[in-house]
């Protein structure tokens, strides 16, 4: 029995199954993961990852560790020098501002206030002298107005970014011509012998007290606030630089101890030099700032504070003198709700704030008593004591003048206030001039004391910023050389 032959195949034996055709081979792939989880793709190799790998590999060898330690020390010392230079330069700039900008501007603002108050007082004195006011009185008034205008121009140029200061300066520039116009109207009317002149003068004085002097006070307070801010900036400790310096010293100490434990060598010249330079920089920073802080504090306690109290005392005496003059100008035309003379009431209030009442030493808390407490030497106390004596004399003469005026003897009271023609001896005007002169001398003395102390404080910071940066960079170089010396032993 024959079977037909199958083409292209193999002959199957009887009783055996035909083989299945071979399946194509599957491409190779990743090994199967756990059931239920998708395979995580491999992360790409980045420069940052490669750097970390190299750093990890280097950290397991001593040369690699030394390179890392040297780099960290160099960066730490460079940061110490940079932070120290930055903070010292910032405090030096603030100290320069105290000496060269904010304190002079504060003094100028006080002079603006004083000039305006003196102009108002002088205008009243000239009015009381009659239609033909004395030439010295006229010249003093014109000098006060010119000085106030000049100082306002300077203040406007240096107001900077202070909106409050610019606002007050603009207000005074607007109101000052109005005030002088009212004073001229009062003088012209007074020369004609018309009683309306007194009304013009009182209205001018109201504008001075309600517009000009409050604006001058706010300008003075703004400039004094700037001075206080500069003081705070100049005296604040450079905590960031100190902290970085201490950390740098600690790191250098640790590095030297580590080197000693591994090599039994006591000194590493490079690290030792870096430690010495860092310690010198840190001590220089502490000592220099402590001396600067002490000098600036002395200039504030025995200079800026004294100047402020003395300026307020001088302004207070000027306002009291103006009230005294206006009492005679008004002649009872301006009364308080209690029926008392407005200007006499203001005079008494001002004198109590200046020196208290009665005789002897000034009362506690008064301006002159505070000025005596702040005076740091005999030369500073002497003119203030003269001012106290002048105030007591002034008060006694004022009481005599008021007694005569209250009794209806105006002609007898007037010479006791402004003196006789060409001679003010025995008058309250003589006493006021004595007080004003003494306070001016005290201001000049305290201004000199301020300059000395402030210059000493500022000088203590001279060169510290550049010196600290140079020493820190030299320390960083020493640390790198010291570590490099250890690395050379592995080559």
């Amino acid at each position: 029995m024959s079977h037909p032959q199958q083409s292209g195949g193999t002959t199957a034996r009887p009783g055996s199954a035909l083989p299945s055709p071979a399946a194509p081979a599957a491409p190779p792939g990743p090994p199967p993961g756990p059931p239920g989880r998708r395979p995580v793709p491999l992360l790409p190799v980045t420069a940052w990852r490669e750097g970390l790998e190299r750093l990890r590999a280097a950290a397991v060898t001593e040369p690699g560790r030394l390179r890392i330690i040297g780099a960290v020390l160099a960066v730490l010392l460079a940061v110490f020098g940079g932070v120290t230079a930055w903070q010292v330069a910032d405090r030096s700039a603030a100290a320069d501002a105290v000496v060269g900008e904010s304190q002079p501007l504060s003094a100028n603002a006080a002079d603006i206030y004083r000039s305006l108050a003196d102009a108002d007082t002088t205008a009243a004195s000239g009015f009381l002298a009659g239609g033909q006011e004395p030439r010295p009185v006229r010249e003093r008034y014109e000098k006060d107005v010119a000085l106030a205008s000049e100082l306002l121009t300077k203040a406007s140029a240096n107001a900077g970014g202070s909106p409050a200061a610019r606002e007050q300066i603009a207000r005074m520039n607007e109101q000052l011509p109005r005030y002088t116009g009212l004073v001229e109207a009062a003088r012209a009317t007074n020369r004609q012998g018309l009683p309306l002149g007194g009304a013009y003068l009182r209205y001018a004085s109201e504008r001075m007290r309600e517009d000009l002097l409050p604006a001058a006070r706010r300008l003075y307070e703004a400039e004094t606030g700037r001075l206080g801010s500069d003081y705070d900036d100049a005296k604040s400790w450079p905590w960031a630089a100190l902290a970085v310096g201490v950390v740098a010293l600690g790191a250098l100490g640790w590095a030297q101890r580590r080197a000693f434990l591994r090599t039994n060598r006591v000194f590493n010249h490079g690290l030792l030099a870096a430690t010495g330079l860092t310690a010198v920089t840190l001590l220089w920073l502490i000592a220099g700032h402590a001396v600067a802080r002490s000098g600036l504090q002395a200039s504030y306690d025995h200079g800026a504070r004294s100047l402020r109290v003395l300026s307020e005392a001088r302004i207070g005496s000027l306002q009291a003198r103006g009230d005294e003059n206006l009492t005679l100008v008004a002649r009872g035309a301006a009364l308080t709700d209690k029926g008392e003379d407005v200007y006499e009431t203001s005079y008494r209030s001002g004198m109590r704030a200046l020196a208290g009442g009665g005789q002897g030493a000034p009362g506690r808390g008064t301006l002159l008593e505070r000025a005596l407490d702040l005076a740091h030497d005999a030369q500073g106390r002497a003119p203030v004591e003269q001012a106290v004596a002048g105030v007591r004399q002034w008060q006694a003469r004022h009481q005599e003048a008021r007694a005569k005026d209250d009794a209806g003897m105006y002609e007898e009271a007037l010479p006791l206030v402004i003196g006789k023609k060409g001679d003010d001896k025995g008058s309250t005007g003589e006493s006021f001039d004595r007080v004003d002169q003494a306070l001016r001398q005290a201001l000049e003395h305290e201004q000199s004391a301020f300059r000395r102390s402030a210059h000493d404080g500022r000088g203590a910071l001279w060169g510290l910023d550049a010196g600290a940066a140079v020493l820190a960079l030299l320390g960083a170089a020493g640390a790198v050389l010291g570590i490099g010396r250890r690395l050379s032993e592995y080559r």
Side-chain angles (χ1 to χ4, degrees):
M1 183 176 181
S2 60
H3 298 277
Q5 187 175 2
Q6 299 178 6
S7 63
T10 59
T11 304
R13 293 184 179 180
S16 65
L18 291 175
S20 346
R37 295 183 60 183
R38 301 179 64 181
V40 180
L42 296 178
L43 294 175
V45 178
T46 62
W48 174 253
R49 183 181 179 86
E50 183 180 354
L52 288 178
E53 292 295 337
R54 290 182 179 179
L55 185 63
R56 188 181 298 112
V60 299
T61 65
E62 183 61 15
R65 295 191 189 101
L66 288 175
R67 289 188 181 93
I68 294 173
I69 292 172
V72 170
L73 290 177
V75 170
L76 194 57
L77 289 172
V79 170
F80 173 50
V83 172
T84 301
W86 163 56
Q87 291 201 304
V88 171
D90 185 62
R91 281 147 185 79
S92 296
D96 290 340
V98 166
V99 177
E101 295 180 15
S102 51
Q103 198 281 328
L105 289 175
S106 177
N108 285 344
D111 286 340
I112 291 173
Y113 198 124
R114 186 204 61 80
S115 298
L116 294 174
D118 191 65
D120 194 46
T121 298
T122 306
S125 298
F127 186 89
L128 288 174
Q132 297 298 323
E133 61 182 326
R135 184 176 182 82
V137 175
R138 175 70 177 181
E139 290 176 349
R140 178 170 176 173
Y141 167 83
E142 293 176 346
K143 181 180 178 181
D144 286 332
V145 172
L147 179 59
S149 300
E150 178 184 352
L151 293 176
L152 281 173
T153 302
K154 290 183 179 180
S156 179
N158 294 285
S162 175
R166 291 199 302 269
E167 179 183 355
Q168 304 311 320
I169 293 169
R171 184 172 185 179
M172 284 185 282
N173 281 326
E174 179 185 358
Q175 294 295 329
L176 185 57
R178 297 180 181 179
Y179 169 80
T180 55
L182 290 170
V183 171
E184 293 305 319
R187 282 179 173 149
T189 309
N190 192 37
R191 283 194 295 268
Q192 298 173 16
L194 301 175
L196 189 59
Y200 273 117
L201 189 64
R202 291 197 304 272
Y203 185 66
S205 183
E206 288 177 5
R207 299 280 62 76
M208 173 65 73
R209 294 167 186 247
E210 294 178 6
D211 294 326
L212 283 164
L213 291 182
R217 166 67 69 177
R218 286 189 287 270
L219 175 63
Y220 176 64
E221 290 173 351
E223 298 297 349
T224 303
R226 185 194 301 190
L227 174 62
S229 177
D230 288 338
Y231 262 117
D232 292 340
D233 292 341
K235 293 189 299 180
S236 62
W237 281 98
W239 293 114
L242 294 174
V244 176
V246 171
V247 171
L249 273 181
L252 286 167
W254 173 83
Q256 291 178 89
R257 183 176 181 275
R258 182 182 184 278
F260 169 73
L261 293 176
R262 282 166 170 73
T263 64
N264 274 338
R265 295 175 183 172
V266 178
F267 297 117
N268 180 297
H269 295 151
L271 293 178
L272 188 63
T275 303
L277 291 170
T278 304
V280 168
T281 305
L282 191 59
L283 290 175
W284 187 9
L285 175 62
I286 294 173
H289 189 77
V291 173
R293 183 183 176 92
S294 176
L296 290 171
Q297 187 64 45
S299 73
Y300 179 76
D301 291 337
H302 305 300
R305 287 179 61 194
S306 297
L307 288 169
R308 180 167 187 173
V309 172
L310 288 168
S311 294
E312 291 178 356
R314 195 177 184 192
I315 291 167
S317 68
L318 285 165
Q319 290 179 333
R321 176 60 177 171
D323 288 327
E324 184 179 48
N325 290 336
L326 287 171
T327 302
L328 293 178
V329 172
R331 303 183 70 172
L335 300 177
T336 65
D337 295 337
K338 297 180 180 180
E340 298 176 349
D341 188 280
V342 169
Y343 301 111
E344 177 63 17
T345 302
S346 180
Y347 164 84
R348 292 174 182 173
S349 176
M351 293 300 276
R352 282 195 300 270
L354 180 63
Q359 302 295 322
R364 299 297 301 175
T366 61
L367 291 171
L368 291 180
E369 193 270 339
R370 288 164 56 194
L372 284 172
D373 289 343
L374 291 172
H376 65 286
D377 57 12
Q379 291 181 336
R381 292 180 61 88
V384 181
E385 291 172 346
Q386 294 174 9
V388 173
V391 167
R392 297 304 178 215
Q393 183 188 68
W394 182 3
Q395 289 174 320
R397 291 177 176 177
H398 177 82
Q399 290 180 357
E400 182 181 358
R402 290 312 311 147
K404 290 187 176 297
D405 189 38
D406 291 340
M409 295 183 289
Y410 175 83
E411 297 299 331
E412 288 78 5
L414 185 60
L416 295 177
V417 175
I418 65 172
K420 297 179 181 179
K421 189 173 183 179
D423 185 8
D424 63 353
K425 291 184 178 179
S427 66
T428 59
E430 180 190 20
S431 302
F432 162 74
D433 288 339
R434 178 183 176 187
V435 173
D436 189 66
Q437 177 69 13
L439 291 176
R440 185 182 63 80
Q441 291 177 357
L443 280 166
E444 291 175 353
H445 176 77
E446 296 301 325
Q447 184 70 37
S448 298
F450 164 82
R451 290 196 187 98
R452 287 194 302 270
S453 299
H455 280 291
D456 290 342
R458 182 177 62 173
L461 297 175
W462 184 85
L464 179 53
D465 50 351
V470 171
L471 291 178
L473 290 177
L474 290 176
V480 170
L481 291 175
I483 296 297
R485 178 61 180 169
R486 287 281 295 116
L487 281 172
S488 66
E489 298 172 359
Y490 289 89
R491 294 170 185 162

